[in-house]
């Protein structure tokens, strides 16, 4: 069976690192993001026959169209990585409802919908594997990130429930929960100050998260797991 992997959020940050590692391991990749130019640049940089697609995961029709296009050009999806995500940090009382909705739609509903589309295809192929990118903030909580945290905590409940639902169909669903990783999402943070609180004393690299994603995609006896990649942040009270 060919290894066709859809990477939502594959144009930047953690998604690019996942794409680079999976390309080396012989997967055929669909690199997906809203910005098609950037997704194409990433797909081309990988060499091989990888393709780029434009999709907004907060829109169901966009996801359905994208899965049809991928199937037509690369074949049915049997691996899925959900790395598309946004954060709009701020105290709850100052958070606009639109910003709440955009985080929940992109981070949580978007993942539910891509999983729904992928599972349909995986059942027909009698197997598959999904990795959803959560966050340590979804497990521990963080002041100023209540909505983001809720979206990522929801992802854990969703992924573990789906893992139970589809295990008999030979489909596995796991979560990687990163801490602070060097990407556009964390570029505005005060790294010098924050890294003092991390037991390993530094931010992580996207490539370190990618290794955890590949492990979960490729380890056939692991499902419903949340793999934390956070330099030890979870050890703190
Ligand atoms: P990033 O560098 O900002 O990249 C985000 C990716 O998601 C981009 O490819 C972006 O492309 C895509 N995206 C955003 N909204 C989208 C939408 N509505 N539809 C489709 N694609 C969308 O972020 P990152 O740091 O790599 O984060 C990847 C994932 O890891 C996210 O889920 C994030 O919450 C999670 N995470 C990150 C960290 C960290 O420290 N960096 C820590 C914990 C968890 P377009 O903008 O072109 O759509």
């Amino acid at each position: 069976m060919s290894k066709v992997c859809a990477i939502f959020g594959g144009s930047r940050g953690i998604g690019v690192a996942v794409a680079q590692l999976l390309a080396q391991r012989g997967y055929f990749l669909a690199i997906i993001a809203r910005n098609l130019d950037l997704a194409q640049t990433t797909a081309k940089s990988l060499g091989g026959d990888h393709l780029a697609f434009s999709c907004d995961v907060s829109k169901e029709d966009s996801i359905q169209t994208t899965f049809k296009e991928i199937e037509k050009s690369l074949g049915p999806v049997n691996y899925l990585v959900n790395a598309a995500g946004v954060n709009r940090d701020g105290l709850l009382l100052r958070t606009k409802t639109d910003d709440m909705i955009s985080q929940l739609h992109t981070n949580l509903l978007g993942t539910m919908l891509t999983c729904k589309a992928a599972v349909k295809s995986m059942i027909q192929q009698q197997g598959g594997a999904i990795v959803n990118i959560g966050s340590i903030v979804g497990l521990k909580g963080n002041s100023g990130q209540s909505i983001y945290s809720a979206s990522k905590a929801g992802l854990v409940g969703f992924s573990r429930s789906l893992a139970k639902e589809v295990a008999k169909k030979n489909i596995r669903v796991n979560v990687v929960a990163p801490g602070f990783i060097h990407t556009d999402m964390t570029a505005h943070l005060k790294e010098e100050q924050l890294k003092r609180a991390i037991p390993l004393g530094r931010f992580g690299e996207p490539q370190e998260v990618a290794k955890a994603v590949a492990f979960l995609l490729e380890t056939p006896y692991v499902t419903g797991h949340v793999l934390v990649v956070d330099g030890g942040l979870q050890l703190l009270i």
Side-chain angles (χ1 to χ4, degrees), residues 9-15 32-35 55-58 82-86 106-107 133-136 148 152 178-186:
S11 66
R12 288 193 275 125
I14 290 169
I32 308 149
R34 287 167 302 180
N35 183 330
C55 173
D56 183 343
V57 295
S58 67
N82 280 304
V86 289
T106 303
N107 301 354
I133 309 293
S135 169
I136 188 67
Y148 179 76
K152 295 299 188 177
F180 292 108
I181 308 297
H182 281 133
T183 69
D184 292 349
M185 195 177 268
T186 53

Side-chain angles (χ1 to χ4, degrees), residues 44-59:
K44 274 189 198 142
S45 74
L46 302 171
D49 297 325
H50 313 292
L51 294 176
F53 301 86
S54 173
C55 173
D56 183 343
V57 295
S58 67
K59 301 197 167 92

Side-chain angles (χ1 to χ4, degrees), residues 9-23:
S11 66
R12 288 193 275 125
I14 290 169
V16 172
V18 171
Q20 288 166 341
L21 187 57
L22 298 187

